[in-house]
Amino acid sequence: MKDATPVQPVAKYRKDYTPPSHNIETLDLVFKLHQTQTVVTATSKVLASDGASRLSLVGEHLELKALHINGVDWSDYELNDEGIVISNLPPEFDMMITTELDPSANTALEGLYLSDGAFCTQCEAEGFRRITYFLDRPDVLAKYTTTIEADKSDFPFLLSNGNKVAEGELENGRHWVKWQDPHPKPSYLFALVAGDFDQLVDSFTTRSGRKVDLEIFVDKGNLSRAHHAMLSLKNSMKWDEQRFDLEYDLDIYMIVAVDFFNMGAMENKGLNVFNSKYVLADQASATDKDYLGIEAVIGHEYFHNWTGNRVTCRDWFQLSLKEGLTVFRDQEFSSDLGSRPVNRINNVRIIRGPQFAEDASPMSHPIRPDKVIEMNNFYTLTVYEKGSEVIRMIHTLLGEEAFQSGMKLYFERHDGTAATCDDFVATMQEASGIDLDQFKRWYSQSGTPILTVTDEYDANLKTYTLNVRQYTAPTATQADKLPLHIPFDIELYRQDGSVIPLVIDAKSVGSLLHITQESHRFVFEAVDEKPIPSLLREFTAPVKLEYDYEESQLVQLMKCSTNEVSRWDAGQTLLSQYIKQAVSKGVDIDLSKEVINSFKALLVDQSLDKAFVAEALTLPPHSEVSGWFDTIDVDGISKALTQLKLALAKGLESELLMTYQSLGGSEYDISHQSIAKRALRNTCLGYLSCLKQHHRLAQQQFDVSDNMTDTIGALSSANQSDLESREDLMNVFSKRWSHDGLVMDKWFMLQGSKPSADALSKVKLAMEHSAFSMQNPNRVRSVLGSFFNNPFGFHALDGSGYQFAGEMLTKLNTTNPQVASRLIDPMLKFARYDEERKQLMRRELELLRDTPNLAKDLYEKVEAALK
Ligand code: B3K
Ligand code: ZN
């Protein structure tokens, strides 16, 4: 047994890619499952690529029991820090490796581990090497056969990828099952699950008429909470046939929900493993947001079957090839099934908030990174969400039809292989005939481009000129930036709200402008009055827009824009102007009558989608606002946001109350309309709870609520406004749900985000709760994740928040470095804070750096931050 973490972790570079020395055609795995001593026998057919006689395999936390080559006990090998090097090999051979591992000691939840007594695996990105010595890299594709043997009464279900081909009974109450996956796959898509579950069974008939068995496995007693996941799965399968022309390729699709999981879910071939958060839902225990999250994640993992599994990544630097594309596909799925504008607004918020923040952090990287120490650190908002924006830009440039031709060509050319981002762009370019050469810089360049726009109107010539400049500031690891190809959608409006047609050089032009150089000048003709420009409509590119809007222009856009995302954006820009002023000048917020009225108009407009109105009334969060300033004034931002909320609450009081009352009392269902009503009603409650005369509403709603959305709506309002009823309501909730960790996560999250100085004591109390466990990533994220982003508790000036964070990260460093590494992100931005906070945070980072056995996950980030 050896320790996997070398003293000084080494980086890998994208430029250093070399093809594997050997290919593995088939892999036959036999697992004899045991909590502390699992034995794995891996038999493979191996072929040397260029006559290589030496084979290096990676392996971690393994004990080698036997090595046979062509049936002969092989002694010509050496074990090292990374794994094993086997020498004197023939060009073609059968290899049998037997290893032993201890799943019960695996708290990192990578490789084979125990989740509440059930065996399960997580192999992406590099977890398979904790199961056996292997060429654990995505460009080695093999056909797998898996035999699992375990005790029958404790583990009646033995699952793996592909189709079940045989099973049998053994002595001593044990049994075995054999699975065969006909599709060659990389090791990161391998999965095994063994346990006792309740099973929800259904089927889907593909458009070619094949019947696919659908099976969802959940903890005993949770069957009634799996129906929404099943419905989402069937919707995903149908949608992928209709929109992308893609059909499922096995006879069975299984999903297992587990409680101990580092991320959301995993797309293992035919056997998805899910965090139970993204499977379990019912009216009493799940919010509407949970329901929508389940739909999106079930869709995402299903869509990976083509974009990820059938065509996989050549190396991990290409991760966005599958993730950016699959996020794009799941966003489109949610938009086609639900509200497109509301989905788009939520995606834009993620980009403009946390993704832009990542771009501005010491860990900033392009969507296709160049250098990696710990691959798990690169499952980021940049690779996923910005990656999806890059695919969306290609879609915008090509249009749906050409984009789908590109997808078709992509599968024709790369199905069954491991491809690169360049391969993808090449198929899009070829299928459409559109030049994407310059566009490709989006893959290699990090940071957020800024588009600065100025304009002039010439009343005599009736011309309107837009000057557009692009600039990307240097980022942590990239000093020089080149101009990008930025799709820039615009529209011009008259004062009366009508649209002015776009004419350049006497020709009418479309609304999509192409920004390719550092600066552009567009002169529009026949513009009969000074127009109001609507810029970067639909957020056609992940850039920061700078244009000096007058308040009256934004008020007008909120009213007349033909595009709901732009109406929302105009409102957000309007509010941002007030916030920026308040924070930078230290003045109080005083909203003009016009601003109040434009929000009022949205609130009372019965023709609008209520989910959209709820978004339009939602303030940008503290984290997003922080990104607008070079130095973050934590307290100034909190103060401005509190004042702004109060100002809107006061200005809209009677309409908020009217809306709140009119939306109550309807029968519960999860149609879009009902979700929208609840969203708007709870948004109103949030505002009303700022006003003393309405403090009782939250408690009233809590008392009569028959669903989790309204319960949490009430509890959040009580928490946000720190109402007198807060403690009571929190206690009632915790008594009612203390048996259910997943539901308690909502309570933990509220404790961690309490907007007052006592948040730390609430967090410490929460960690004493019977439902809390430091081993469970969901619990840790809900309590600590929310606290580390709490502007009041975490950033307390006495440094107590930072010190606590340091202690917690040190603990997690040994038990679950992946989770630690996600949590540390807010600390990496220490240099952006005031001197006092900066010093305090830096000290904690330095202490961490000096921690013995610092995992490479944390090492990579701490080093980057302290550089
Ligand atoms: N591919 C997985 C993520 C794996 C993360 C490894 N640390 C889930 C997904 O993106 O669908
Ligand atoms: Zn994914």
Side-chain angles (χ1 to χ4, degrees), residues 122 124-125 263 265-267 300-301 304 322-323 376 379 384 818:
Q122 171 54 37
E124 189 178 359
M263 328 81 58
M266 179 63 214
E267 70 264 24
H300 181 96
E301 305 313 329
H304 265 315
K322 74 177 177 82
E323 295 304 345
N376 285 325
Y379 288 75
Y384 275 62
Q818 232 186 104

Side-chain angles (χ1 to χ4, degrees), residues 360-364 476-477 824-832 838 841-842 844-846 848-849 857-867:
S361 82
M363 279 297 287
S364 105
T477 53
I824 201 177
D825 284 353
M827 305 214 30
L828 307 180
K829 295 162 195 153
F830 73 96
R832 305 264 311 280
K838 203 187 289 188
M841 275 194 249
R842 175 198 283 276
E844 293 305 326
L845 286 175
E846 284 168 351
L848 268 173
R849 181 180 53 191
D857 314 54
L858 286 178
Y859 169 88
E860 182 168 37
K861 290 190 171 181
V862 172
E863 281 296 315
L866 289 174
K867 214 179 217 161

Side-chain angles (χ1 to χ4, degrees), residues 186-238:
S187 52
Y188 82 88
L189 289 175
F190 168 79
L192 171 155
V193 174
D196 193 4
F197 303 99
D198 276 344
Q199 186 187 20
L200 183 65
V201 181
D202 204 330
S203 73
F204 177 82
T205 305
T206 68
R207 59 171 180 195
S208 68
R210 266 186 324 105
K211 184 168 164 268
V212 181
D213 291 328
L214 309 179
E215 301 179 4
I216 299 184
F217 298 85
V218 296
D219 274 353
K220 292 231 148 238
N222 276 336
L223 205 59
S224 63
R225 291 211 252 172
H227 294 283
H228 184 67
M230 185 62 91
L231 177 66
S232 302
L233 176 58
K234 289 193 280 184
N235 286 340
S236 307
M237 297 178 88
K238 193 154 153 211

Side-chain angles (χ1 to χ4, degrees), residues 6 9-14 60 110 122-129 136-138 188 262-263 266-267 312-324 358 363 365-384 421 817-819 821-822 825 855-861:
V10 276
K12 284 193 188 133
Y13 295 85
R14 179 168 67 88
E60 289 175 4
E110 260 197 297
Q122 171 54 37
C123 294
E124 189 178 359
E126 300 180 326
F128 193 74
R129 62 192 62 186
D136 187 16
R137 44 186 287 170
Y188 82 88
N262 280 343
M263 328 81 58
M266 179 63 214
E267 70 264 24
T312 191
C313 303
R314 185 193 71 175
D315 55 73
W316 288 121
F317 299 100
Q318 317 293 330
L319 180 62
S320 203
L321 173 72
K322 74 177 177 82
E323 295 304 345
E358 194 165 273
M363 279 297 287
H365 53 276
I367 64 165
R368 183 186 57 200
D370 291 313
K371 176 191 174 195
V372 164
I373 292 179
E374 169 52 60
M375 190 52 214
N376 285 325
N377 280 342
F378 289 85
Y379 288 75
T380 58
L381 291 157
T382 301
V383 168
Y384 275 62
C421 297
Q818 232 186 104
V819 166
S821 184
R822 292 250 154 190
D825 284 353
K856 47 181 186 158
D857 314 54
L858 286 178
Y859 169 88
E860 182 168 37
K861 290 190 171 181

Side-chain angles (χ1 to χ4, degrees), residues 564-820:
E564 276 171 304
V565 181
S566 301
R567 293 181 77 174
W568 165 79
D569 202 13
Q572 294 286 302
T573 309
L574 201 51
L575 298 176
S576 75
Q577 292 184 343
Y578 279 92
I579 299 169
K580 281 178 188 161
Q581 248 221 336
V583 175
S584 55
K585 306 215 171 104
V587 295
D588 285 338
I589 286 189
D590 182 17
L591 294 178
S592 73
K593 223 183 158 62
E594 288 71 38
V595 173
I596 297 279
N597 284 340
S598 33
F599 282 96
K600 199 176 280 181
L602 289 180
L603 186 52
V604 299
D605 187 341
Q606 297 304 320
S607 70
L608 290 172
D609 175 0
K610 297 196 170 13
F612 166 75
V613 179
E615 293 302 338
L617 283 169
T618 301
L619 303 184
H622 195 288
S623 53
E624 184 182 331
V625 175
S626 299
W628 303 344
F629 303 94
D630 291 332
T631 302
I632 302 170
D633 175 358
V634 186
D635 311 311
I637 294 172
S638 301
K639 186 172 155 212
L641 287 172
T642 310
Q643 281 188 358
L644 184 55
K645 195 167 173 194
L646 188 61
L648 282 168
K650 282 184 180 156
L652 304 175
E653 182 182 354
S654 56
E655 289 75 15
L656 286 165
L657 192 60
M658 210 177 61
T659 310
Y660 179 77
Q661 283 160 347
S662 73
L663 294 175
S666 38
E667 196 71 4
Y668 179 90
D669 65 54
I670 56 149
S671 63
H672 177 75
Q673 254 202 344
S674 302
I675 290 178
K677 277 188 191 171
R678 284 191 289 274
L680 182 54
R681 189 160 189 263
N682 282 308
T683 304
C684 292
L685 180 65
Y687 279 105
L688 291 165
S689 299
C690 304
L691 304 172
K692 189 143 194 20
Q693 59 275 30
H694 302 301
H695 276 186
R696 291 185 49 227
L697 282 182
Q699 162 124 41
Q700 284 166 8
Q701 175 168 319
F702 184 91
D703 289 343
V704 301
S705 166
D706 68 350
N707 64 83
M708 187 51 86
T709 304
D710 288 340
T711 303
I712 286 298
L715 216 45
S716 306
S717 294
N719 185 53
Q720 271 310 308
S721 298
D722 215 349
L723 302 183
E724 242 170 78
S725 57
R726 180 192 186 275
E727 293 308 303
D728 277 352
L729 301 186
M730 289 293 277
N731 287 338
V732 173
F733 188 96
S734 126
K735 276 207 193 95
R736 194 179 297 163
W737 290 105
S738 61
H739 60 281
D740 190 325
L742 214 48
V743 179
M744 281 307 291
D745 281 340
K746 302 174 195 306
W747 187 88
F748 289 138
M749 211 267 296
L750 291 171
Q751 296 291 41
S753 59
K754 184 169 196 271
S756 53
D758 63 344
L760 181 55
S761 63
K762 294 287 173 199
V763 164
K764 289 185 172 162
L765 216 68
M767 292 174 74
E768 303 286 303
H769 196 285
S770 60
F772 183 80
S773 151
M774 199 67 173
Q775 311 300 320
N776 185 306
N778 287 4
R779 300 304 94 80
V780 172
R781 271 190 293 261
S782 60
V783 180
L784 299 183
S786 60
F787 179 72
F788 289 12
N789 285 291
N790 179 337
F792 299 87
F794 182 62
H795 291 291
L797 265 176
D798 61 1
S800 53
Y802 305 143
Q803 201 190 335
F804 173 71
E807 281 164 28
M808 293 301 113
L809 291 169
T810 310
K811 269 194 191 165
L812 289 164
N813 173 58
T814 35
T815 55
N816 192 331
Q818 232 186 104
V819 166

